[in-house]
Amino acid sequence: MELKRLIEGVEVKKIVGDTPKEIEGVAYHSNQVQKGFLFAAIRGVEVDGHRFIGEAIERGAEAVVSEEEQEVSHRTMILVPDSRQALAKISSNFYGDPSSRIRLIGITGTNGKTTTTYLLESIFKKAGYTVGVIGTINYRFAQKTTLAPNTTPESLDLQKILWEMQREGTSHVIMEVSSHGLDLERVFGCQFDGVVFTNFTSDHLDYHKTLEQYFESKKKLFSDYLMKSRKERRFAVTNHDDPKGKEIVRGIDLPIIRYGMNPSCDITADQVVSTFDGLSSRIRTPRGDFSAHSKLIGNFNLYNILAAVAVGVGMDVPLETIREGLERLEGVSGRFEKVENRRGIHVIVDYAHTHDALERALVGLKGILESGPQNDGKMITLFGCGGDRDRIKRPMMGEVAGRYSDLAILTSDNPRTEDPLAILNEVEKGLKSLPIKVWDQNEIKFWRTQKGYLKVPDRREAIRMAIRLAQPSDAVLIAGKGHEDYQIIGKKKFPFDDRIEAKKALEEK
């Protein structure tokens, strides 16, 4: 593509050099530059791409997009106020603005994004659409699945994926839009048809620093990207039961669909029955009511179901199609996923890694236990907190686990470069605020007599212990890692899957 066409719509401060050049490709990593490429120097969380402009030119870059002016002889330097926005717009131009030729739904919020994408995917497929999904677990379309290095890909990678999806005939794309993706302008220039807000609670404060900054990042999906989209029939969906759900749509001069358990919501539910076999409810919409049974477990999943229904209603999907789509979804990898066994223990693996997500999971599980035919089952919770990440939530997660569990087992998550014991000590501060017992290995066999907790740093051993201590009708929640099939210790990844480890423990005598 000719350079001057490639930078159409980009806010430019100054151009040094010629623009009637043919550009063969675009890169933001200098080691991916080839002869005739444009290199965009972007500032990352740890590395500044401006340091690699010289290397990009040595590799053959014909043009450079930069926020800093540097001498680049016989090359074109394009100075911009924001190289991330410039990269996003250039990427969209290079791939022919693919989001304008598909129906694009963006979902943001602290929890529930992944499950909502799976529900919507099932509904859209039932409606006969060709669907693509971009999210935390993977990117998938046209029988192709790629593991996701980031929930929301960098703008160049995102536009390439959207282009590939559109080229393969994908008509509808559902995308998880993370706060990092929004703050780093990865979806700048995307043409959204609809956006969804699931909920808001503390997370990622290692990056955003304050809750206000974290929320403002999420709000951009509504106030900036949806409002600036060129799509004609745009709409917003929000969780009206969440205080931030009201704030995020303030000033949005577009159709707004509000969901929640408050009867005043546009999409709501009643007659809810929750068991280990799933959720049954009557769902109420402005177009009529219907009853549905979902295989998803836990009352909190009702909100994800209502969010998906709201999008379906916003896109004029028939209610019967929505119902069938909800019911055909078998489950979501690592999201309240049951580990089947013959021992009568309810073993659940879940990605819950915030105090709010953990609380929702535990409240949901305890509700099922207490309403079941045998209401004497105990609640064992195994969890940890990631290293080099938001430290504020550690004692909060500890307090939640101690409050709702009969036994909490503190263990390692992905400790990364932190000392695992130091992480557990920070989590333990929340447990120490409660009047519960600290068990040791010698007396843990008496755990059923008193609420308490135990520290077992080795996650594999912690899972074995949780299973070993459980009896029929007990519930064991293994939280924090969900679908992940690895553990990060230091800077290395080691194979580790909670589901596999739980199955092995259940098979032990």
Side-chain angles (χ1 to χ4, degrees):
M1 181 178 287
E2 194 173 39
L3 179 56
K4 61 183 178 182
R5 279 189 57 213
L6 193 60
I7 61 174
E8 284 180 4
V10 175
E11 186 179 353
V12 175
K13 292 165 59 177
K14 181 180 177 182
I15 298 177
V16 180
D18 300 328
T19 55
K21 291 181 175 181
E22 284 295 320
I23 298 298
E24 300 297 328
V26 181
Y28 59 90
H29 278 306
S30 58
N31 60 8
Q32 293 176 348
V33 172
Q34 299 177 34
K35 184 174 176 57
F37 270 42
L38 176 145
F39 173 68
I42 60 174
R43 302 183 198 280
V45 177
E46 297 180 358
V47 180
D48 186 352
H50 292 82
R51 292 167 39 200
F52 300 92
I53 289 175
E55 181 181 328
I57 289 171
E58 288 178 8
R59 288 178 173 270
E62 279 294 330
V64 174
V65 169
S66 172
E67 295 174 14
E68 302 172 359
E69 188 166 1
Q70 297 185 21
E71 287 291 333
V72 287
S73 49
H74 309 298
R75 301 293 191 274
T76 302
M77 170 69 74
I78 303 160
L79 286 169
V80 297
D82 189 325
S83 56
R84 282 190 166 276
Q85 284 191 2
L87 173 62
K89 183 59 180 172
I90 287 166
S91 301
S92 177
N93 289 344
F94 187 76
Y95 287 106
D97 194 16
S99 64
S100 68
R101 300 195 296 277
I102 54 178
R103 305 295 298 276
L104 180 62
I105 302 296
I107 302 175
T108 197
T110 307
N111 302 307
K113 298 186 295 295
T114 299
T115 299
T116 305
T117 64
Y118 273 79
L119 287 161
L120 267 179
E121 179 185 29
S122 186
I123 290 169
F124 283 174
K125 284 184 174 179
K126 187 61 186 176
Y129 305 145
T130 308
V131 188
V133 178
I134 299 171
T136 302
I137 297 177
N138 54 40
Y139 314 145
R140 55 191 184 276
F141 67 100
Q143 286 75 54
K144 300 176 184 177
T145 301
T146 306
L147 290 178
N150 297 302
T151 295
T152 308
E154 188 57 74
S155 59
L156 176 62
D157 307 314
L158 173 60
Q159 294 297 333
K160 183 180 180 182
I161 292 167
L162 292 173
W163 170 71
E164 290 174 344
M165 287 179 169
Q166 187 262 327
R167 185 184 60 180
E168 292 282 345
T170 302
S171 61
H172 291 64
V173 176
I174 312 153
M175 176 165 59
E176 292 185 51
V177 188
S178 68
S179 59
H180 290 74
L182 288 159
D183 191 63
L184 297 172
E185 307 287 4
R186 290 174 180 170
V187 296
F188 181 83
C190 283
Q191 307 302 315
F192 287 96
D193 292 86
V195 298
V196 181
F197 171 76
T198 60
N199 50 56
F200 182 81
T201 188
S202 179
D203 199 12
H204 303 305
L205 296 189
D206 55 308
Y207 174 85
H208 294 288
K209 307 307 179 189
T210 68
L211 282 172
E212 290 74 21
Q213 290 177 18
Y214 177 40
F215 179 70
E216 286 302 314
S217 293
K218 293 198 170 294
K219 191 176 179 181
K220 284 173 67 175
L221 182 61
F222 289 74
S223 60
D224 290 11
Y225 300 122
L226 179 65
M227 293 302 292
K228 292 176 183 176
S229 172
R230 298 191 302 271
K231 298 290 183 63
E232 291 183 6
R233 297 185 60 197
R234 290 166 291 158
F235 64 94
V237 170
T238 187
N239 178 354
H240 199 59
D241 288 352
D242 189 304
K244 292 295 187 182
K246 301 177 181 69
E247 184 178 340
I248 206 164
V249 293
R250 197 169 293 147
I252 301 296
D253 188 22
L254 292 169
I256 299 170
I257 304 172
R258 297 169 174 85
Y259 72 89
M261 294 306 293
N262 190 309
S264 66
C265 293
D266 303 302
I267 310 293
T268 188
D270 57 18
Q271 300 177 13
V272 180
V273 178
S274 178
T275 72
F276 282 108
D277 292 322
L279 279 166
S280 297
S281 66
R282 179 176 64 172
I283 296 175
R284 318 200 74 163
T285 85
R287 287 168 27 202
D289 304 344
F290 65 91
S291 295
H293 174 78
S294 169
K295 296 181 181 67
L296 299 181
I297 306 168
N299 277 350
F300 63 91
N301 264 317
L302 196 55
Y303 279 89
N304 300 324
I305 290 168
L306 294 177
V309 171
V311 174
V313 169
M315 300 193 76
D316 296 323
V317 178
L319 292 185
E320 179 59 18
T321 302
I322 293 174
R323 184 191 67 77
E324 291 178 3
L326 294 176
E327 293 192 339
R328 73 189 296 183
L329 180 65
E330 293 293 328
V332 180
S333 178
R335 273 32 176 208
F336 234 63
E337 184 175 350
K338 288 193 294 186
V339 180
E340 300 291 352
N341 64 90
R342 297 177 181 176
R343 293 173 55 177
I345 305 168
H346 304 294
V347 181
I348 305 291
V349 172
D350 190 65
Y351 191 53
H353 59 281
T354 67
H355 74 282
D356 181 70
L358 187 60
E359 182 168 12
R360 290 168 192 253
L362 287 169
V363 169
L365 267 178
K366 284 187 75 68
I368 297 172
L369 281 175
E370 291 169 0
S371 63
Q374 294 175 303
N375 60 3
D376 58 345
K378 298 286 188 180
M379 182 75 243
I380 301 174
T381 304
L382 180 152
F383 76 106
C385 291
D388 303 330
R389 295 294 186 269
D390 184 358
R391 295 174 61 181
I392 293 173
K393 67 183 180 184
R394 291 174 183 175
M396 297 164 72
M397 289 185 69
E399 192 276 335
V400 164
R403 182 155 38 103
Y404 290 102
S405 308
D406 294 292
L407 174 65
I409 301 178
L410 281 61
T411 190
S412 294
D413 190 286
N414 293 318
R416 298 183 177 88
T417 64
E418 285 194 70
D419 177 359
L421 286 175
I423 297 172
L424 295 189
N425 289 340
E426 291 191 7
V427 175
E428 190 179 16
K429 291 176 183 177
L431 288 146
K432 285 182 174 178
S433 68
L434 301 170
I436 60 177
K437 183 175 176 60
V438 185
W439 293 103
D440 63 36
Q441 298 275 1
N442 295 323
E443 56 183 1
I444 190 61
K445 62 184 177 181
F446 302 112
W447 73 273
R448 303 182 81 85
T449 62
Q450 185 177 347
K451 280 171 66 75
Y453 70 93
L454 177 73
K455 291 193 288 186
V456 184
D458 184 288
R459 193 173 182 92
R460 182 173 285 109
E461 178 54 34
I463 291 173
R464 285 177 180 160
M465 178 171 288
I467 300 294
R468 191 164 61 243
L469 292 172
Q471 295 180 6
S473 299
D474 289 347
V476 176
L477 175 65
I478 303 173
K481 293 176 60 59
H483 65 282
E484 293 178 354
D485 59 359
Y486 58 83
Q487 189 173 28
I488 305 173
I489 302 173
K491 294 190 175 181
K492 294 183 179 179
K493 280 187 177 182
F494 297 89
F496 194 98
D497 190 313
D498 285 348
R499 296 161 295 190
I500 292 173
E501 296 301 327
K503 286 177 183 175
K504 288 179 179 177
L506 286 161
E507 291 167 0
E508 290 178 2
K509 293 184 179 180

